[in-house]
Amino acid sequence: MRQVQYSTYHGGSKTLECVEVPIPKPKAGELLVKVEAISVNPVDWRIQDGFMKHILPPKFPFVPGTDVAGEVVTLGPGVTGFDLGNKFVAYIHILKGGGFAEYAVASASRTVVPPPGVSASEGASAVVAGYTALQSARQMGIKSFAGGSEHLNVLIVGASGGVGIILLQLVKLAGDRSMELMRNLAADEVLDYRTPQGATYTSPSGRKYHIVLNCAHFVPLSNFAAELQPDAKVLDMTPTWASIIAAMFNRISMRSPHRFENFYMMDNGEDLETIVELMRAGKVKAMVDSIFPLCKADDAWDHSMQRRCTGKVIVCSCLWGISGSRSMSSCSCFT
């Protein structure tokens, strides 16, 4: 089978190489899956850039890819609840990787069967993005997504990205204030970061924020302070060393009335089931920005690194050999 891997830190897409390797065999509790769609996450290229090399370094050569969808091929010893040929959505541990391939091994406890009508591309788009959106909302005190929660003014920075799109839907579900807006993925107010109002995060209505969920690059707490409620909370969704130090200082100094925290995703089967159930009920949907064949994984990598995506960037092994595509209709796993 073919897989895409890299063998050194840094270098971006230029270090990605396609190699032929044997098809892996599942161990106890695992599934061998035929991969149809893989989602590219910012953490993929952050790991390649060495973000975790002093804490949890990957083993080279490393095959990136955690969010996969496709078809179950083989059941490992002791696996129940799946049939051969089942469509699936799965999370592969970030340091194990293996998604950028035609076949991969996934833990049965991190694999679910998606509802009918959810394509492989959509399913793969909702894994880490779904985990992050669901868990960050809970971390900020949003416990229920069945409506009736306390009315909060929430700012989502980077709401057009893969995480932001799902997070927006969850926040709207918690408040249950406008189902028409939910159906259209529309926010109550929209800020353009290129305008003076957007640059200062000023609400068009003049209301102060209870919660800020920052899905973009690191922004110091002081940049939000003038627009925050006295007891507001700011959550950095993509921790860097700068945000980690800022959160520690915020906690220790106690000088600010506002809380600044970092988000750290935890993978678990229950949360993946929750996201899939919300998709099954038609309450949450993922959005695909673009798709690329596996042989053009380097282009997908570059496109993701530009941080200008509306939804998720998808790599599809079923497009192998096609010279490159950004059209969702050209991908058989999108149907």
Side-chain angles (χ1 to χ4, degrees), residues 187-324:
D188 294 320
E189 300 174 343
V190 178
L191 295 177
D192 185 341
Y193 69 93
R194 295 167 295 188
T195 66
Q197 188 180 49
T200 56
Y201 308 103
T202 304
S203 170
S205 66
R207 293 180 297 171
K208 303 300 184 182
Y209 304 113
H210 297 90
I211 295 172
V212 175
L213 298 157
N214 182 17
C215 304
H217 55 79
F218 169 62
V219 177
L221 177 60
S222 58
N223 288 30
F224 296 112
E227 303 303 322
L228 299 178
Q229 297 276 357
D231 58 348
K233 295 174 280 190
V234 176
L235 184 64
D236 192 300
M237 311 280 280
T238 56
T240 61
W241 291 116
S243 69
I244 292 170
I245 293 170
M248 292 175 60
F249 181 80
N250 174 257
R251 189 173 201 144
I252 295 170
S253 69
M254 303 296 288
R255 292 180 182 177
S256 172
H258 310 127
R259 281 172 49 199
F260 183 90
E261 299 178 5
N262 286 291
F263 171 77
Y264 302 99
M265 192 201 85
M266 301 293 291
D267 68 284
N268 63 77
E270 292 79 7
D271 283 350
L272 188 55
E273 287 280 3
T274 297
I275 289 296
V276 168
E277 283 303 315
L278 289 169
M279 296 177 76
R280 193 189 312 276
K283 296 180 178 180
V284 166
K285 58 181 177 180
M287 186 174 291
V288 177
D289 172 90
S290 51
I291 58 173
F292 296 81
L294 187 60
C295 64
K296 292 290 184 178
D298 54 343
D299 289 343
W301 203 264
D302 285 336
H303 187 56
S304 175
M305 290 185 71
Q306 291 175 8
R307 289 181 174 267
R308 290 292 183 267
C309 305
T310 302
K312 298 295 292 185
V313 178
I314 295 294
V315 173
C316 289
S317 61
C318 60
L319 286 174
W320 183 268
I322 297 177
S323 60

Side-chain angles (χ1 to χ4, degrees), residues 78-98:
V79 173
T80 60
F82 297 92
D83 295 319
L84 301 185
N86 275 162
K87 293 298 182 181
F88 79 92
V89 174
Y91 174 80
I92 302 175
H93 193 276
I94 189 68
L95 294 180
K96 181 179 179 182

Side-chain angles (χ1 to χ4, degrees), residues 29-31 79-80 82 106-112:
E30 296 180 335
L31 305 165
V79 173
T80 60
F82 297 92
S107 169
S109 65
R110 301 295 185 270
T111 303
V112 299

Side-chain angles (χ1 to χ4, degrees), residues 2 123 145 278 327:
R2 301 178 182 94
F145 304 104
L278 289 169
S327 169

Side-chain angles (χ1 to χ4, degrees), residues 88-143:
F88 79 92
V89 174
Y91 174 80
I92 302 175
H93 193 276
I94 189 68
L95 294 180
K96 181 179 179 182
F100 276 51
E102 293 178 305
Y103 293 87
V105 169
S107 169
S109 65
R110 301 295 185 270
T111 303
V112 299
V113 177
V118 173
S119 69
S121 294
E122 292 168 323
S125 296
V127 182
V128 161
Y131 274 143
T132 303
L134 186 67
Q135 294 172 12
S136 62
R138 288 176 180 158
Q139 185 173 335
M140 290 290 97
I142 301 173
K143 304 298 183 183

